[in-house]
């Protein structure tokens, strides 16, 4: 499951999921072995306790290791080639806390830098780049020169690559470390030359099976909550107005569909027919509606959309056609988020706080593009686990 890879333990939430997956995966061959060696059979109680104790001890050891590694400067060592505008983006991301678990050794000025964006932490090695990388035990080199077509030490970079040092371009580095695709530095060539955006019938079948199974497992649990929500809405409105409403949203490949939600606003919230973003402290939101939105309970009727196949459990949140038209005209690649089914929850929902504006939509698109590019069942499971935290703590509501 990758736990023993050096980079496999940098993100605590991913580490925990990897360990759980490894333990559950280990039960398969273990269970099969009991049929061939009945003498070694373990009872279900003993087996369950073994898994629980193993998880506790393994995660404890891993957390202690991460703390020791940080204290002893054993985290990933990064050397940045460039000190201009592109390198400045890395500096700013590191200062803001967006880049964690890294040791940026320094920035090497390149003759192709347009402007000197960085004045400190500059490195001018006396020896060759290869010797410097070997002496400092650099793990990765990030190409952040403002113009990579001129001035890069190609021969030294090839030598470093052959010695096991990973070479990353700026966009790939930010994608891996921040979980989003930055639109401000993205070129069309990177988009179609990089890995990802895979489409296959098998992938669609796996995702559809995942959606149905999760929806059917969740439905019996949330049915009492659904009935309680209906009662609360009807009591607050004294029977006036529906407890459920439907609204047109944009789905897979840009096709419109009807989404279902519990009503959280006053009836006829848009009497003039003009679509408006929901704002903080919106006077149209009812008291019960505010509670529902805090726990995302107003989204529960979308389980019906999932079972119908119009939505997926995980995916970009669907927007209204009026907003999609505006955003597609002003934000590049916005329509690419419609390459997958919209979701009840998604990567942008757990990584970015709630927002309803043009700028928020652009920031969320960067996470949506990451999800479309890197979709996997593993990523879906990770989003589901983190969604539970978002719902319970009301994060981003």
């Amino acid at each position: 499951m990758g736990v023993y890879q050096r980079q496999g333990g940098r993100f605590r939430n991913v580490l925990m999921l990897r360990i759980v997956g490894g333990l559950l995966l280990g039960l398969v061959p273990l269970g099969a072995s009991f049929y061939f060696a009945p003498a070694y059979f373990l009872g279900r109680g003993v087996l369950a306790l073994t898994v629980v104790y193993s998880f506790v001890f393994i995660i404890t050891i891993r957390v202690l290791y991460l703390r020791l590694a940080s204290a002893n400067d054993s985290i990933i060592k990064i050397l940045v080639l460039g000190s201009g505008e592109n390198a400045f983006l890395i500096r700013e991301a590191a200062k803001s806390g967006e880049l964690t678990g890294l040791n940026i050794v320094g920035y090497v000025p390149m003759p192709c830098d347009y402007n000197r964006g960085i004045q400190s932490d500059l490195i001018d090695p006396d020896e060759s780049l290869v010797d410097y990388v070997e002496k400092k035990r650099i793990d990765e080199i990030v190409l952040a020169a403002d113009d990579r077509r001129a001035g890069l030490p190609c021969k030294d970079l090839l030598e470093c690559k052959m010695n096991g040092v990973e070479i990353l371009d700026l966009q790939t580095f930010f994608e891996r470390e921040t979980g989003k695709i930055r639109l401000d530095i993205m070129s069309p060539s990177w988009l179609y030359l990089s890995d990802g955006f895979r489409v296959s019938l098998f992938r669609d079948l796996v995702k559809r099976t995942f959606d149905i199974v999760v929806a059917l497992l969740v439905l019996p649990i949330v049915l009492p909550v659904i009935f309680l929500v209906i009662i609360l809405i009807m009591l607050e409105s004294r029977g006036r107005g529906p407890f459920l409403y439907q609204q047109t949203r944009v789905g897979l490949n840009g096709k419109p569909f009807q989404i279902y939600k519990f009503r959280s606003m006053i009836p006829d919230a848009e009497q003039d027919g003009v679509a408006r973003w929901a704002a903080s402290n919106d006077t149209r939101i009812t008291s019960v509606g505010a509670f529902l939105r805090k726990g995302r309970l107003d989204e529960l009727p979308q389980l019906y959309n999932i079972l119908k196949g119009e939505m997926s459990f995980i995916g970009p949140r669907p927007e209204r056609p009026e907003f999609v038209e505006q955003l597609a005209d002003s934000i590049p690649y916005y329509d690419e988020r419609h390459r997958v089914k919209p979701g009840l929850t998604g990567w942008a929902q757990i990584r970015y706080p709630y927002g309803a504006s043009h700028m928020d939509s652009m920031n969320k698109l960067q996470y949506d593009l990451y999800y479309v590019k890197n979709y996997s069942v593993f990523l879906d499971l990770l989003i589901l686990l983190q969604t539970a935290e978002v719902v319970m703590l009301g994060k981003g509501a």
Side-chain angles (χ1 to χ4, degrees):
M1 296 296 292
V3 177
Y4 288 95
Q5 296 176 8
R6 185 174 182 185
Q7 297 177 16
R10 278 194 286 159
F11 306 104
R12 302 284 175 91
N13 48 5
V14 179
L15 172 65
M16 190 173 297
L17 186 59
R18 287 181 187 273
I19 293 174
V20 170
L23 291 171
L24 295 179
L25 194 62
L27 291 177
V28 177
L30 185 63
S33 69
F34 295 154
Y35 290 96
F36 301 102
Y40 296 103
F41 177 79
L42 292 176
R44 285 176 293 181
V46 174
L47 200 57
L49 286 174
T50 302
V51 171
V52 172
Y53 287 144
S54 297
F55 174 77
V56 172
F57 287 128
I58 292 173
I59 198 68
T60 301
I61 292 172
R62 281 279 150 181
V63 169
L64 289 174
Y65 164 75
L66 289 174
R67 290 185 177 180
L68 287 173
S70 299
N72 289 281
D73 197 27
S74 299
I75 52 181
I76 304 297
K77 290 184 177 181
I78 304 287
L79 182 66
V80 180
L81 291 192
S83 61
E85 296 173 1
N86 286 339
F88 187 72
L89 297 176
I90 298 178
R91 164 66 66 82
E92 289 300 296
K95 281 186 176 180
S96 66
E98 197 174 14
L99 300 178
T100 58
L102 302 174
N103 177 10
I104 300 178
V105 176
Y107 302 83
V108 180
M110 291 284 107
C112 47
D113 290 333
Y114 296 139
N115 297 306
R116 186 58 55 84
I118 297 175
Q119 301 297 332
S120 58
D121 295 332
L122 296 179
I123 294 175
D124 189 10
D126 296 329
E127 66 268 59
S128 68
L129 180 65
V130 178
D131 293 336
Y132 181 83
V133 167
E134 185 176 355
K135 182 176 71 175
K136 294 295 184 178
R137 300 180 66 185
I138 301 296
D139 298 294
E140 297 175 354
I141 297 175
V142 179
L143 305 180
D146 291 339
D147 187 358
R148 286 165 46 188
R149 294 171 296 181
L152 284 180
C154 299
K155 185 177 179 181
D156 285 349
L157 287 173
L158 179 60
E159 186 71 22
C160 291
K161 179 74 173 180
M162 295 303 176
N163 289 338
V165 179
E166 189 169 0
I167 313 293
L168 297 172
D169 64 86
L170 187 62
Q171 180 65 272
T172 303
F173 172 74
F174 271 117
E175 179 193 8
R176 188 193 68 186
E177 297 300 329
T178 64
K180 66 181 180 183
I181 296 177
R182 291 190 60 150
L183 296 175
D184 55 343
I185 59 174
M186 188 175 67
S187 63
S189 60
W190 180 88
L191 200 60
Y192 55 71
L193 288 175
S194 60
D195 291 334
F197 300 108
R198 295 184 178 88
V199 178
S200 69
L201 183 62
F202 178 74
R203 174 187 133 153
D204 293 341
L205 180 62
V206 170
K207 189 167 179 62
R208 180 62 182 147
T209 303
F210 177 87
D211 290 336
I212 294 174
V213 170
V214 174
L216 292 178
L217 287 174
V218 168
L219 196 57
I221 300 173
V222 300
L223 271 178
V225 179
I226 289 175
F227 289 127
L228 179 60
V229 169
I230 294 173
I231 294 171
L232 290 175
I233 294 174
M234 297 306 292
L235 286 175
E236 185 184 42
S237 63
R238 299 178 182 178
R240 295 191 299 267
F243 61 84
L244 197 68
Y245 84 100
Q246 61 184 51
Q247 193 177 67
T248 303
R249 298 291 177 96
V250 178
L252 179 65
N253 296 323
K255 295 180 180 179
F257 72 100
Q258 296 299 311
I259 196 174
Y260 297 92
K261 299 180 71 173
F262 283 126
R263 182 171 60 82
S264 59
M265 291 186 175
I266 59 175
D268 300 322
E270 294 177 350
Q271 291 182 347
D272 54 4
V274 178
R276 296 182 179 86
W277 298 101
S280 58
N281 301 320
D282 198 319
T283 56
R284 298 174 299 167
I285 299 176
T286 64
S287 300
V288 172
F291 169 74
L292 297 180
R293 284 172 173 251
K294 191 72 174 176
R296 309 294 174 91
L297 299 178
D298 58 322
E299 313 284 357
L300 287 178
Q302 289 161 40
L303 289 171
Y304 175 68
N305 291 112
I306 294 173
L307 293 174
K308 281 182 66 179
E310 297 168 331
M311 291 179 61
S312 176
F313 232 98
I314 311 296
R317 285 297 298 162
E319 286 289 358
R320 301 173 66 174
E322 300 88 342
F323 296 148
V324 169
E325 186 177 352
Q326 297 171 15
L327 296 170
D329 288 340
S330 57
I331 302 177
Y333 310 106
Y334 188 81
D335 282 332
E336 303 307 319
R337 70 195 298 273
H338 301 130
R339 298 289 183 176
V340 297
K341 288 181 182 179
L344 183 63
T345 184
W347 187 239
Q349 276 59 52
I350 64 172
R351 302 280 295 190
Y352 190 82
Y354 178 81
S357 67
H358 183 278
M359 184 58 66
D360 291 328
S361 297
M362 187 172 70
N363 288 327
K364 285 186 175 182
L365 175 62
Q366 297 180 119
Y367 292 105
D368 287 334
L369 288 176
Y370 176 89
Y371 176 79
V372 175
K373 180 177 183 290
N374 298 286
Y375 160 74
S376 67
V377 175
F378 180 83
L379 182 57
D380 276 2
L381 289 172
L382 178 62
I383 293 172
L384 272 182
L385 285 178
Q386 293 192 353
T387 299
E389 178 188 7
V390 170
V391 171
M392 287 186 293
L393 300 181
K395 291 184 176 181

